[in-house]
């Protein structure tokens, strides 16, 4: 059941339904896991970190900020032991953290580093996500030209990954920014 809630939270997050993503995340957290393989625990941490940062942005609630920062600390351990699988995820969480803190320079650097690291290690889906999150960041900053570039890159990477519907969503976000 935990994996189903996790997948539902991931899909809801990717398609921008952050309230549903947070509800699915909370449902997953209620389920006690005896032991999960490290790749699954890492995935839980990553997705729940992204959701927590988004909810912290939306609500300003301390509980979301605490969960978000806790996810970075946990991801540091995974990135230490499996850098090719986890470093880009840590960088994306750090980009979201910098964005939340209003540190634009660090956010920009971390988004770009996450994109490069995901590309270097063959995680096209995470590269697409990092491009999209950077596009959202730039759109919020009012930098529509740069947001357009990142949304287009996200569209390209999601298309290469085979996620046509998600790729089309990036084009719609681009049209709205």
């Amino acid at each position: 059941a935990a994996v189903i809630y996790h997948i539902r939270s991931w899909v809801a997050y990717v398609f921008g339904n952050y309230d549903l993503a947070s509800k699915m995340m909370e449902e997953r957290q209620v389920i006690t896991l005896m032991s999960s393989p490290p790749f699954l625990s890492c995935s839980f941490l990553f997705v729940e970190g992204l959701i927590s940062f988004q909810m912290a942005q939306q609500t300003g609630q301390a509980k979301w900020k605490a969960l978000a920062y806790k996810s970075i600390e946990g991801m540091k351990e995974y990135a230490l032991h499996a850098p090719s699988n986890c470093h880009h995820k840590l960088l994306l969480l750090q980009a979201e953290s910098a964005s939340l803190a209003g540190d634009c320079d660090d956010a920009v650097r971390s988004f770009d580093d996450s994109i490069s690291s995901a590309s270097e290690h063959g995680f096209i889906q995470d590269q697409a996500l990092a491009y999209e999150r950077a596009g959202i960041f730039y759109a919020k900053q009012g930098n529509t030209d740069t947001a357009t570039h990142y949304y287009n890159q996200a569209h390209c990477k999601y298309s290469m990954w085979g996620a046509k519907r998600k790729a089309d969503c990036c084009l719609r976000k681009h049209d709205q920014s």
Side-chain angles (χ1 to χ4, degrees), residues 2 7 23-24 30 36 38 53 81 88 124 136 149 168 172:
I7 292 168
K23 287 178 184 149
M24 293 297 101
V30 169
S36 296
F53 275 113
H81 297 291
H88 66 279
I124 194 167
I136 292 167
H149 166 74
D168 292 345
R172 284 195 295 278

Side-chain angles (χ1 to χ4, degrees), residues 131-137 139 146-156 167 170-171 173-175 177:
Y131 271 122
E132 180 183 13
R133 296 304 303 174
I136 292 167
F137 168 79
T146 305
T148 297
H149 166 74
Y150 280 89
Y151 284 137
N152 286 339
Q153 289 298 313
H155 174 266
C156 177
C170 287
L171 288 182
K173 277 186 185 174
H174 162 268
D175 291 341
S177 65

Side-chain angles (χ1 to χ4, degrees), residues 18-19 22 26 51-68 100 140:
Y18 305 121
D19 290 331
S22 68
E26 289 173 330
I51 292 167
S52 296
F53 275 113
Q54 182 61 42
M55 294 307 292
Q57 286 269 8
Q58 282 182 219
T59 68
Q61 292 179 354
K63 82 170 191 174
W64 293 116
K65 290 178 185 178
L67 286 169
L100 182 63
K140 285 181 182 175

Side-chain angles (χ1 to χ4, degrees), residues 2 5-7 9-10 13 21-22 24-31 33 40-56 63-64 66-72 75 93:
Y5 282 118
H6 171 65
I7 292 168
S9 69
W10 180 234
Y13 176 83
S22 68
M24 293 297 101
M25 175 185 128
E26 289 173 330
E27 290 293 329
R28 202 275 322 145
Q29 289 176 334
V30 169
I31 298 169
L33 301 173
L40 191 54
S41 297
C42 177
S43 184
F44 288 164
L45 193 62
F46 178 57
V47 172
E48 292 174 7
L50 290 172
I51 292 167
S52 296
F53 275 113
Q54 182 61 42
M55 294 307 292
K63 82 170 191 174
W64 293 116
L67 286 169
Y69 295 132
K70 184 178 174 185
S71 71
I72 288 179
M75 192 57 67
L93 291 172

Side-chain angles (χ1 to χ4, degrees), residues 63-151:
K63 82 170 191 174
W64 293 116
K65 290 178 185 178
L67 286 169
Y69 295 132
K70 184 178 174 185
S71 71
I72 288 179
E73 293 309 309
M75 192 57 67
K76 285 179 182 177
E77 285 298 311
Y78 285 107
L80 179 67
H81 297 291
S84 61
N85 291 331
C86 301
H87 189 245
H88 66 279
K89 293 176 181 180
L90 173 60
L91 290 166
L92 184 54
L93 291 172
Q94 290 172 331
E96 295 291 352
S97 176
S99 175
L100 182 63
D103 185 347
C104 295
D105 292 338
D106 194 34
V108 166
R109 191 170 29 262
S110 295
F111 279 122
D112 288 340
D113 289 349
S114 177
I115 290 163
S116 295
S117 181
S119 175
E120 177 183 344
H121 298 291
F123 290 94
I124 194 167
Q125 72 280 13
D126 293 336
Q127 186 182 17
L129 178 62
Y131 271 122
E132 180 183 13
R133 296 304 303 174
I136 292 167
F137 168 79
Y138 282 111
K140 285 181 182 175
Q141 301 299 313
N143 189 337
T144 55
D145 290 341
T146 305
T148 297
H149 166 74
Y150 280 89
Y151 284 137

